[in-house]
Amino acid sequence: VGHGTWQDSFWHPAADEPLETTAFALHTNLMVTAFGGSIDGTDVMWDVTNLSRPQRLSQFEGGQPVALSPDGRTVATTTYGGQAAIWNVADPRRPVKLTTLSDGDGGKVWALAFSPDSQVLAAAHYDRISLWDMARPARPRLLGTLDAPVTAPGGDGNTPISEQDLAFAPGGTILASVTGTDQVTLWNVADPARAERLAAVDGRGDFIQAFTFSPRGNLLGAVTYHSAVLVYSLADPARPVRAAAVGGLLTRAFFPSGKPDRKSTRLNSSHITI
């Protein structure tokens, strides 16, 4: 309570926090950017109708992680205490804070994702994923919780490498999350209240840093910490099949001369696209 009161009283827009991530609304010309994640963490709404001249619409308390619902009406972001906060951005020039999510544990949220129809929000913590009914964003309802622990590559802690390891497939019935030292787990969330584990894909002994679904949802692309690109066929989501594996692809893309700085060859990006 003390932290929340202090934050509400003294928060101000970040002046020099780094850009952490961006999120787009699928069916609108809106984008949200997140700067920092500490007391001065800030989210900024943009109109990107003209891509050469994005228009800044508003800024509000938030930070990384952040998710923008596909219908462009709701932003899920973080609070100073690490909980998920829900904002109404139906009028993107005047965001209104609706509520703060709590599943009873109070643990820090490290990833957020909306379903394609904007009706479900997945909030990932270090050891679980909470699924929320967002039909009424001002009063989200907890649908269920998935047991999904995330451990560091060394196996000595519960700290994920990337903060973007959570995504719904385009059809909305499958959710992917990082679980374990080098795995992505696929969950059947067709009925979020009765979600269940489908399968897991591994990172060939390397920690999966980022992943994404193809537009049709039949492929899952993943990038490992040491820049290997892996592609899995999801023709049968319960039995993913590795269709391709390319090592060093990102290193070659970043350093066409073939002479990379050895200290900079590891992947730092947290987003890829198929």
Side-chain angles (χ1 to χ4, degrees):
V1 175
H3 279 165
T5 301
W6 189 78
Q7 172 75 335
D8 290 340
S9 301
F10 293 95
W11 175 84
H12 58 83
D16 56 3
E17 291 281 0
L19 174 65
E20 295 288 349
T21 191
T22 61
F24 293 85
L26 183 62
H27 305 300
T28 72
N29 293 316
L30 294 176
M31 176 181 74
V32 61
T33 52
F35 296 85
S38 60
I39 182 162
D40 294 332
T42 300
D43 291 338
V44 179
M45 295 295 300
W46 302 83
D47 182 335
V48 291
T49 302
N50 184 343
L51 294 176
S52 65
R53 293 185 178 181
Q55 182 182 1
R56 186 188 185 106
L57 300 176
S58 61
Q59 62 186 17
F60 54 99
E61 177 188 341
Q64 168 69 15
V66 67
L68 178 58
S69 63
D71 62 12
R73 300 179 63 85
T74 309
V75 166
T77 185
T78 186
T79 67
Y80 176 57
Q83 294 179 305
I86 307 300
W87 290 74
N88 182 336
V89 292
D91 180 352
R93 296 181 183 277
R94 296 176 178 81
V96 176
K97 187 174 182 179
L98 297 175
T99 189
T100 299
L101 300 182
S102 176
D103 58 7
D105 184 273
K108 176 180 172 59
V109 63
W110 59 263
L112 296 161
F114 279 99
S115 61
D117 62 5
S118 305
Q119 295 300 297
V120 177
L121 175 69
H125 303 265
Y126 293 141
D127 59 352
R128 68 196 185 283
I129 298 171
S130 300
L131 299 175
W132 296 85
D133 181 346
M134 297 297 292
R136 300 172 64 189
R139 295 184 178 181
R141 180 170 60 92
L142 182 63
L143 295 170
T145 302
L146 305 175
D147 183 19
V150 178
T151 56
D156 56 358
N158 292 325
T159 304
I161 293 296
S162 173
E163 295 181 331
Q164 291 291 309
D165 301 322
L166 190 66
F168 281 90
T173 61
I174 297 176
L175 177 71
S177 67
V178 162
T179 46
T181 57
D182 63 352
Q183 293 182 327
V184 170
T185 294
L186 302 177
W187 307 88
N188 180 349
V189 291
D191 181 352
R194 296 177 175 81
E196 60 183 0
R197 183 182 182 276
L198 279 174
V201 299
D202 66 75
R204 303 175 70 196
D206 195 359
F207 190 83
I208 292 178
Q209 172 79 354
F211 58 81
T212 189
F213 289 96
S214 63
R216 290 191 297 156
N218 61 324
L219 298 174
L220 178 72
V223 177
T224 71
Y225 188 55
H226 293 92
S227 301
V229 177
L230 311 174
V231 179
Y232 297 87
S233 170
L234 301 181
D236 180 354
R239 295 178 176 81
V241 176
R242 187 182 299 155
V246 182
L249 182 63
L250 292 185
T251 300
R252 294 198 296 274
F254 289 147
F255 305 99
S257 67
K259 297 179 181 180
D261 176 353
R262 292 184 178 274
K263 295 181 179 180
S264 303
T265 56
R266 291 180 176 179
L267 177 67
N268 289 318
S269 172
S270 60
H271 182 73
I272 60 173
T273 301
I274 292 183

